[in-house]
Amino acid sequence: MGDTGLDLLRGTLDLMLLKALAWQPMHGYAAAKWVRAASKDTLDVDDRALYIALHRLEARKLIKGRWQTTATGRKAKCYELTAAGRARLKADVSQWEQYVRAMGHVLTADPAGQS
Amino acid sequence: MIDDTTPDRRALELPANRGRIGRAVDAELAFHIDERVRELVASGVDATTARARATAEFGDLEAARLDLRRIDELAARRSWISESVADLFTDARRSARGLLRRPAYALVAIATLALGIGANSTMFSLVDRLLLSAPPYIRDPDAVVRLRFDNAQPQSGRITWVRAPYDFYRVLTEAQPRFDVAGTTALAMTMRVNTEPRAATIVATTPRYFALLGVQPVIGRFPIDHDASDARSVVLSHALWTRELGGATDVIGRDITIGEETFRVIGVAPRGFTGDGIEPVDAWIPLTESTPGLPRGWQTAQFDRRISVVARPAAGVTPTAMNAEATRHYLAWSMAQPNGDTTARVLLRSLVPGRDSDGAMTPESRVAVWLQAVSVLVLIIAVANVANLLLLRAIDRRRETAVCMALGVGRIRLVRHIMLESLWLGGMAAVIAAVLARWAGPFLWRLLLPAGAESSVTPWRDAAVVGALALGSALAMTVVPALLQLKTPTNDALRNGARGASRRGTVAGDVLVVVQVACAVVLLVGSGLFVRSLLRVSALDLGFQLDRVLAVRTDHGQSRADSAVVDRFLRDAADRLRGLPGVTHVAAGLTAPYKPSMTVPVFLPGRTELPGVGQNALGYPSFFAVSPEFFATMGLTMVSGRGFGLADAGSAPRVVIVDATMARTFWPDGDALGKCFHVGADTAPCRTIVGIVEDSKRTPIETAHSLRYYLPLAQVPTGRMERYLFVRTARTPASMVAPVRAAVTAVSATPFVEVFPMTEVLDPYTKPWRLGRAVFVAFGVLATVIATIGLYGVIAFGVTQRRRELGIRIALGAPRSRVLRSVALSAGVRMAIGCVVGAAGAVVLGRRLHDLLFRTSPTDPLVFTVALGIVVLATLAACAVPAWRAVRVDPTVSLRSE
């Protein structure tokens, strides 16, 4: 997991999970489903990577895990955003948008560098 | 023991551990697979296929499990550390708040501890200075040794001299031994720095002295060339420099007067530097042939032992080798003397007083060791008292504690709470103790150390001692309540609530009270023994009746006055003093009682030796040269014959007066009067005994009587120009000091004059007892007060605990006297046990105190009775308020409160 491609992917995954949990607390399975659905099934997230990301976020106190009873009566570990997580989400979203805008300009630019 | 009513949230969670983390990860992943299976089954896949597919979709489940565990364990560990630190701060704040809410309890505890710690650290720094440390500023002080000179003595076994004749010092240095040698001699001189002359301790040193010690001056330099340019140079002590010269840096090159001569200041020693000894020194001058204060030809006088010798071996020379070499030189020198001693040897002694094995400990040192022990006792009492308070609180809060524990608050956390509270108390006490020690320290220093001694600068050491004592006390007083906390069965506590105090808790409290009472008894007995010793010493019959006598010391200098001038001065001064109102007698003398006395050989005509001397524990005869009124002034009664008169002048027949023991010992037939003996040499004229006077003691606590005889002042050649006048007053001597001084200085302003009550001369002799009395009494009172507070706490607490029971008893018609008796009994039993234990301890310890006591048995019944009586009174005082409260328990109130 040391090379830049995965790091970038992990960062992206973190952001997606923070976004997912911004709507409502959810467990890992639901988060995975949400990511797939939200990306219109374009992104097929590796489950193991997703759980690792969730636990790392928890360790960084951006999200907090809590055991709750689901609608089906089972105990599941549900994650919710902490205040720090919410702030991080906000910062990351704006940074991501800047990045996307910049990439957009770069990719649509003419030979003189004007978009 | 958590003060907040809401139990700590984290404490309610299960402790984080590997098993729990592993199970949580497993459950989370299992849920994921199960959800996927459920979804697949719902979409029509059969269960077995669904599970296989779900597992396959997830990928390496086992690897994921390991990853997640690792992440969670790391996170758990990190948060545990940060939360623990945060908890510690929270708890510390909570303990502080808890203490602030009970200021009386906190104050008692802190004051108690502060006194205990302060006493200990002060005493430690004293013992350290008196016994354990070499004098300050000496480089590698363990290597430096003092030389002692051990010789066979013709009649009295061996004698170890602390000083050597200069002649030997010269021989030793000329032999160029493999060690550095330096010598000193202390001189009591009159010194004039500004205008007012004063008595000063001057140490004359040989050239290598300062270099050998390895000390550096704070300003200026030490003397280099003793015999030429520096022969009249002086190095001032730091204390003298600051006291008389305001610490000015331009004193170098300034002239001051020592004796009759002018010395140039060339340097100032560091603060607290006292040379190789512990006695303070005012100034150091080079030791030369013509050093003032030394008799002419002193360097060649072979019996004039005045040089203290210190040595430091060269690199690679062992102490044994140095000792052997020094002994070889000393033996060679001794054998060359008349009646050469073939067994002479040199002994080496450490500069550290406590390690000086042959020198018996000074009384001050022994008292200091005792005071250290006593202050340890006080600290034990203090710790026991605070532990008791903590214990009572712990018992008091048992229900609360039980609730906390039932809710999952760890016992360790509760113990930590007690410990934090102890640490707060200890910390506050340490701060106060440090202040206290700074304030009381110098006071005790003045009592125990020679006047003018300064602390060498080691504040960090004092701080470390205070800190260590505070920490130790805090830990010690945590132990008992913490054990109680750890052993309390939760169920019992919940069931009984705060009311039913556990046996274990109260037993621990009782033991602590007994310890306190016992320590107080020990200290009170100690106080009593010292008080009695002091009373007995003060009541001693010295022969002299000194309580109304003033001494006037006059120093006329060697060069300025000749004997005739001095005699005239003294005669005029005596005449003026006789004219003073309140003066009844005036006498003159060559030296004063209890100052160094003079001894010269005595020869009885027709006999070869002095009968009795040295065998019947009689000291060699010493003499006083006195004027006729001396006996009346000093309150000595003539036994028979006559006193001196004006007729006993310089040209008149030689006469002498002997004391009763001398008359009885030398002339056992009772016919001493009219006999004669030679003084100084057997060729001197035989002096006729004209009177016998009562005995007087040479030292207040002499074990062997020293024989004494008196010569008429007019018939003694007076080489020395220091003289004494003695003034007997009808009023208190203290009120007469100023007028006497004025009368003497009115005759002539030239000599140095010092006026002091004769009882002051006795002070050094009674110092150990005065000191012991002062500190034992202070600590004894302190201990009693602390123990009383401790006892009060326990009894008051007991009454509170028994409110319900007492209420029922009173409601059932029990007479108040019986209630009173039951309260008093519970206190009485503890006190009685404490007294028995304490008395036993006092007997055991008293035996070791024996040699510090004066004609007082360590088991003196009166002392024990008084000490135990005080403890009984203190117990009654401690009982009074709780008993009063017990009797006034209102059954309706106490029963309704349950």
Side-chain angles (χ1 to χ4, degrees), chain A residues 1 27-29 32-33 46-48 50-56 58-59 61 64 67 70 72 74-77 79, chain B residues 13 23-25 27-32 34-36 38-39 57-58 60 63-64 67-68 70-72 75 79 83:
Chain A
M1 274 203 268
H27 43 70
Y29 185 74
K33 263 175 70 177
D46 177 36
D47 286 327
R48 176 178 161 196
L50 180 130
Y51 275 99
I52 286 173
L54 279 173
H55 281 240
R56 279 188 199 282
E58 189 184 21
K61 298 196 189 321
K64 171 125 184 82
W67 289 89
T70 63
T72 55
R74 282 203 55 171
K75 282 256 188 194
K77 190 176 179 189
Y79 295 92
Chain B
E13 284 182 9
R23 280 193 299 280
V25 166
E28 188 177 12
L29 294 177
F31 174 77
H32 181 97
D34 290 349
E35 275 303 279
R36 182 66 184 144
R38 198 170 57 77
E39 211 176 85
E57 270 173 16
F58 192 93
D60 192 344
D67 284 344
L68 297 185
R70 199 167 40 75
I71 293 168
D72 285 3
S79 72
E83 278 174 37

Side-chain angles (χ1 to χ4, degrees), chain B residues 333-635:
Chain B
W333 180 84
S334 293
M335 285 170 65
Q337 304 306 309
N339 310 323
D341 178 8
T342 54
T343 61
R345 58 186 174 149
V346 167
L347 307 172
L348 304 187
R349 292 292 171 250
S350 166
L351 296 188
V352 180
R355 259 185 253 157
D356 196 343
S357 56
D358 69 353
M361 270 163 77
T362 62
E364 281 87 353
S365 305
R366 285 192 304 182
V367 171
V369 169
W370 269 100
L371 296 187
Q372 176 77 75
V374 162
S375 49
V376 167
L377 267 189
V378 172
L379 186 61
I380 290 174
I381 297 181
V383 167
N385 198 34
V386 178
N388 214 347
L389 291 173
L390 287 170
L391 183 70
L392 295 184
R393 289 237 308 134
I395 296 172
D396 205 23
R397 304 175 71 100
R398 281 162 62 82
R399 186 174 237 161
E400 195 178 328
T401 307
V403 170
C404 284
M405 292 209 304
L407 287 175
V409 177
R411 285 172 195 253
I412 296 296
R413 186 101 191 260
L414 293 170
V415 168
R416 191 173 76 183
H417 193 81
I418 301 175
M419 189 173 287
L420 281 170
E421 196 161 308
S422 307
L423 283 173
W424 272 117
L425 293 173
M428 300 290 289
V431 172
I432 297 174
V435 175
L436 211 64
R438 271 204 97 72
W439 170 79
F443 174 72
L444 275 174
W445 277 74
R446 270 199 301 281
L447 271 178
L448 272 166
L449 293 179
E454 282 182 83
S455 151
S456 52
V457 235
T458 51
W460 60 268
R461 198 161 170 176
D462 288 348
V465 171
V466 168
L469 286 169
L471 192 66
S473 314
L475 294 180
M477 64 207 187
T478 309
V479 172
V480 177
L483 282 179
L484 177 76
Q485 199 70 265
L486 288 174
K487 293 211 171 131
T488 302
T490 314
N491 292 344
D492 290 3
L494 271 181
R495 208 174 300 131
N496 295 331
R499 190 164 26 82
S502 84
R503 268 322 290 158
R504 200 183 286 126
T506 47
V507 165
D510 290 347
V511 169
L512 289 174
V513 167
V514 166
V515 167
Q516 290 181 53
V517 172
C519 289
V521 169
V522 170
L523 288 175
L524 286 174
V525 168
S527 319
L529 293 176
F530 271 97
V531 168
R532 277 216 96 155
S533 291
L534 185 64
L535 286 177
R536 294 221 159 109
V537 171
S538 310
L540 275 180
D541 182 11
L542 303 170
F544 299 116
Q545 311 289 326
L546 298 179
D547 45 342
R548 287 198 182 271
V549 179
L550 282 176
V552 181
R553 184 175 79 89
T554 60
D555 184 351
H556 302 264
Q558 292 284 6
S559 58
R560 208 179 295 155
D562 63 38
S563 195
V565 174
V566 175
D567 288 345
R568 194 164 53 246
F569 170 84
L570 290 172
R571 217 168 33 241
D572 291 352
D575 286 344
R576 270 177 189 266
L577 288 171
R578 282 191 194 97
L580 269 186
V583 170
T584 56
H585 294 285
V586 179
L590 214 48
T591 181
Y594 309 108
K595 295 278 185 182
S597 59
M598 285 172 289
T599 306
V600 293
V602 168
F603 302 89
L604 302 183
R607 290 190 242 183
T608 50
E609 58 180 31
L610 302 180
V613 171
Q615 292 156 23
N616 295 337
L618 287 176
Y620 199 88
S622 61
F623 76 90
F624 280 116
V626 300
S627 71
E629 260 187 277
F630 181 83
F631 303 107
T633 308
M634 289 303 192

